[in-house]
Amino acid sequence: MTGGEGVVVENVCKSFSGAAGTVDVLQSVTMKLAGGEAVAIMGPSGSGKSTLLHLLGGLDRPTSGSIAIHGRRPAEMNPKELSLFRNRIIGFVFQDHHLLPQYSVLENVLLPAYALGRPPADAQGRARGLLEDVGLGHRLHHRPAELSGGERQRTAVARALMNGPRLLLCDEPTGSLDTANASAVGQLLLDMHRREGNILVVVTHNPDLAARFTRRFQLVEGRCSAA
């Protein structure tokens, strides 16, 4: 890994304090992901998978250790810098699509571009192209309630890719889908990853989806190892 490319996680720990005391969720997690790599992170519920994804996405800060994304450390940024960094560099896909019901499919996909102030014509072309790529070119003006579960998640994938993120983080992206749709969305993520050339990190309970990745990590009781 050269020139700051990729993701470097070094001895990351994350603890939460509450009335019952301190809970160590992640313990000395270390991993390196090269540019263009795709990895799956597996593990039982409560093992720290989502916490790790939130740290990678700059949604939370590690208690100790460090995370560098393409040579930059989100934990050291001020709120304005971090917000801009996330919008430009990181895309998110969650188990729940989080689409805004009052907006059309096209408008939902355009939202990240509006946050960056991209020229309308450029943004429209990118959004329409992505929706064609995910098989929704015929659904641009439908609202989320008019879509199937698989179509809503495809829309969420297109929205996550809108600004051309260099790191795409997916938290149980097929968890709420039936078997056929889960398989289709999983394949879509890998296909779009190859087309876009980003780093893809997928947290999943789905062994069939994880098996499609050549590199896998296992989280157990906050400790990470190659699977």
Side-chain angles (χ1 to χ4, degrees):
M1 201 179 299
T2 61
E5 288 297 311
V7 176
V8 179
V9 179
E10 294 185 317
N11 296 316
V12 163
C13 299
K14 182 63 181 179
S15 301
F16 294 96
S17 298
T22 299
V23 177
D24 298 321
V25 179
L26 294 176
Q27 302 182 57
S28 300
V29 173
T30 294
M31 63 172 64
K32 293 184 179 181
L33 311 178
E37 191 168 10
V39 302
I41 299 176
M42 302 172 291
S45 296
S47 61
K49 301 187 303 300
S50 293
T51 298
L52 177 58
L53 216 63
H54 290 169
L55 295 177
L56 290 172
L59 299 174
D60 201 353
R61 298 175 186 238
T63 304
S64 62
S66 66
I67 296 173
I69 299 171
H70 297 301
R72 301 193 62 192
R73 298 178 186 273
E76 297 175 0
M77 298 177 188
N78 65 43
K80 184 176 181 180
E81 290 173 331
L82 182 57
S83 178
L84 189 60
F85 182 78
R86 280 201 303 256
N87 280 332
R88 286 182 172 168
I89 303 299
I90 304 172
F92 296 91
V93 179
F94 300 100
Q95 181 172 339
D96 186 346
H97 52 78
H98 294 300
L99 300 177
L100 297 181
Q102 69 271 35
Y103 293 129
S104 69
V105 164
L106 179 61
E107 289 167 337
N108 267 283
V109 173
L110 281 166
L111 287 173
Y114 293 153
L116 286 185
R118 290 179 65 173
D122 170 66
Q124 283 265 349
R126 169 73 172 168
R128 289 174 180 271
L130 283 169
L131 285 165
E132 288 285 351
D133 291 341
V134 303
L136 291 174
H138 62 301
R139 301 287 247 168
L140 301 183
H141 304 294
H142 289 72
R143 284 180 164 71
E146 301 172 286
L147 305 180
S148 69
E151 288 173 331
R152 286 192 288 269
Q153 199 65 322
R154 286 171 175 267
T155 303
V157 171
R159 180 185 58 191
L161 293 171
M162 180 64 212
N163 288 336
R166 296 167 72 185
L167 173 62
L168 182 62
L169 303 173
C170 305
D171 193 359
E172 295 288 356
T174 65
S176 62
L177 303 176
D178 59 42
T179 302
N181 275 310
S183 179
V185 168
Q187 190 59 50
L188 172 66
L189 285 169
L190 287 164
D191 290 345
M192 295 302 289
H193 155 71
R194 285 188 283 268
R195 181 174 301 185
E196 296 279 315
N198 51 35
I199 296 174
L200 174 64
V201 180
V202 175
V203 160
T204 183
H205 278 105
N206 185 333
D208 294 329
L209 176 57
R212 300 184 192 186
F213 290 77
T214 56
R215 194 170 178 209
R216 296 179 290 276
F217 291 95
Q218 185 82 23
L219 266 175
V220 178
E221 296 182 351
R223 296 190 179 277
C224 186
S225 59

